[in-house]
Amino acid sequence: MKKIQLLTGILVSVILIYIVLNGIDFGDVWNIIINLDYLILVPAVIIQILSYWVRSMRWAIILKNIKTVRVNRLFPIICISYMANNLLPLRIGEFVRAYLMGKKENISATAVFSTVILERIYDGITLLLFLGVTAILYPFPSWVKQIGLVTTLFFFCALVFIFCLVVFKKRTLSFINLFIQVLPGKFNKKIDDIIEKFIDGFDTIKDKKKLVPIAVYSIVIWSMEAYLFYALAKAFDFNSAVYLAFFTLVVVNLGIMIPSSPGYVGTFEYFITKALSVFGISKEISLSYALILRVFQYLPITLIGFLFLLKEGISLTQLTKMSKDGNGREA
């Protein structure tokens, strides 16, 4: 199954790369890249890196129901997980984060993984909030509103499902047991234990006092991410740079959820050019923007994550093997 997912992702990337590069004047792209003023991006890159520290602060709040962990212990794991997502297939960084946290803090990797999913839901809701605000303030075409409607429905359903898991935990487990009771006893109990620990990771949403700070951190995180998009838009001297930055941020981060090769090659560039086309920007300029953004967004966190990985004494091969071994069992 994983091989099929990997091959599907690679095929999607190849198709999207072809679409992006078809008819491109590479001479124009090169001239744009070498003549850009990059100094304006320095503060934005620093803010981008600091956003991962804020992510660690948010994760610390979400993890409190499982275990209190200091932010300085979470930051390296966050960096390693993003590095893994950039270099390894199948978004394995999410499993890496759960596995490493489970191993280092001696807690359930399954419960940790559920907190990662909860983070992703908060991220999705925040991006949709940005999309809604920009759609109100800027006259986007109808297809933008359709995408917003579909993704809003998806994340709303996910949030309702998780809420039901937490609030009606016993009923939910009883309902799930109807489907797994046909399995042998030892498998039945193991699956039941895993599901129960998975639900434990969602207990944060029971605490109303945590909902506001988590939401605030989510808005701050994605605003910091958006600043790099904005700074690069200013370097290109785009009109409506603020709207363009937030809209492009939303489109590309929702777009890279579809299967693709490691580092979201193809999907990243395609959805950047698709977003910029709404503002009437040519393919050559859009591709230049995407390539420069990829370097300044992906390279710093990948290098930082790799340095933390070296500090842990783990190779990329070992990281892949450990995360696969840890997926589906307790760390």
Side-chain angles (χ1 to χ4, degrees):
M1 179 61 73
K2 288 184 177 180
K3 287 185 178 179
I4 294 174
Q5 289 176 324
L6 178 60
L7 291 174
T8 301
I10 292 173
L11 179 61
V12 169
S13 289
V14 170
I15 293 171
L16 294 182
I17 288 171
Y18 173 78
I19 293 173
V20 170
L21 299 184
N22 186 37
I24 283 285
D25 186 329
F26 292 100
D28 284 351
V29 173
W30 176 247
N31 286 331
I32 293 168
I33 291 174
I34 62 174
N35 290 311
L36 199 71
D37 180 11
Y38 290 97
L39 288 179
I40 195 173
L41 299 181
V42 174
V45 172
I46 295 172
I47 291 173
Q48 169 81 10
I49 294 170
L50 290 175
S51 73
Y52 295 100
W53 183 267
V54 182
R55 285 186 182 275
S56 304
M57 295 169 68
R58 182 183 65 173
W59 194 26
I61 296 175
I62 297 175
L63 280 168
K64 273 189 178 179
N65 285 331
I66 302 172
K67 185 177 181 179
T68 299
V69 186
R70 295 194 307 273
V71 173
N72 64 330
R73 292 182 62 83
L74 297 177
F75 180 67
I77 296 176
I78 289 275
C79 294
I80 290 171
S81 70
Y82 276 87
M83 178 273 299
N85 272 341
N86 290 345
L87 297 180
L88 301 174
L90 304 175
R91 295 185 73 97
I92 206 169
E94 318 296 9
F95 298 105
V96 165
R97 193 178 352 164
Y99 181 81
L100 286 178
M101 175 58 67
K103 180 181 178 183
K104 290 173 73 67
E105 299 296 334
N106 194 28
I107 55 179
S108 165
T110 303
V112 174
F113 185 65
S114 67
T115 67
V116 176
I117 292 177
L118 188 58
E119 273 193 346
R120 292 293 170 259
I121 292 173
Y122 271 106
D123 288 340
I125 292 171
T126 305
L127 288 171
L128 291 174
L129 173 65
F130 287 171
L131 179 59
V133 172
T134 53
I136 291 172
L137 299 176
Y138 192 86
F140 289 111
S142 59
W143 69 266
V144 174
K145 297 179 181 179
Q146 292 172 357
I147 291 176
L149 180 62
V150 172
T151 52
T152 298
L153 182 62
F154 173 79
F155 282 106
F156 177 76
C157 290
L159 190 61
V160 170
F161 177 69
I162 290 172
F163 180 80
C164 291
L165 282 178
V166 175
V167 176
F168 307 110
K169 181 176 178 179
K170 290 184 179 180
R171 292 183 182 179
T172 303
L173 289 175
S174 298
F175 180 74
I176 293 173
N177 281 329
L178 293 176
F179 296 93
I180 65 174
Q181 64 184 358
V182 297
L183 299 173
K186 63 177 182 178
F187 294 109
N188 191 320
K189 187 178 185 306
K190 182 176 178 62
I191 292 173
D192 192 58
D193 289 342
I194 290 174
I195 292 172
E196 190 163 355
K197 288 174 181 175
F198 192 81
I199 294 174
D200 287 341
F202 292 134
D203 277 347
T204 296
I205 64 176
K206 278 184 177 180
D207 191 345
K208 295 180 181 178
K209 293 181 180 178
K210 293 180 181 178
L211 293 179
V212 173
I214 293 172
V216 171
Y217 276 131
S218 299
I219 293 172
V220 171
I221 288 165
W222 286 105
S223 296
M224 295 172 79
E225 294 260 1
Y227 186 70
L228 179 59
F229 286 72
Y230 170 75
L232 187 55
K234 293 300 288 183
F236 273 84
D237 200 25
F238 289 155
N239 295 322
S240 306
V242 174
Y243 300 120
L244 181 148
F246 277 98
F247 177 70
T248 307
L249 172 79
V250 173
V251 171
V252 73
N253 278 282
L254 293 178
I256 62 175
M257 290 181 180
I258 69 174
S260 65
S261 63
Y264 321 109
V265 175
T267 52
F268 183 86
E269 287 75 17
Y270 173 79
F271 285 102
I272 290 283
T273 55
K274 187 69 174 176
L276 294 184
S277 68
V278 174
F279 295 86
I281 297 171
S282 71
K283 287 185 68 174
E284 283 77 12
I285 296 176
S286 297
L287 179 59
S288 304
Y289 182 95
L291 293 175
I292 295 168
L293 184 62
R294 170 176 284 282
V295 171
F296 286 96
Q297 186 178 45
Y298 282 74
L299 189 58
I301 191 61
T302 302
L303 291 175
I304 293 170
F306 190 71
L307 290 174
F308 278 125
L309 190 69
L310 291 178
K311 187 177 179 181
E312 293 289 336
I314 304 172
S315 67
L316 283 174
T317 303
Q318 291 172 322
L319 190 68
T320 305
K321 185 177 184 303
M322 285 190 301
S323 61
K324 287 180 180 179
D325 291 342
N327 185 16
R329 70 173 179 83
E330 294 307 305

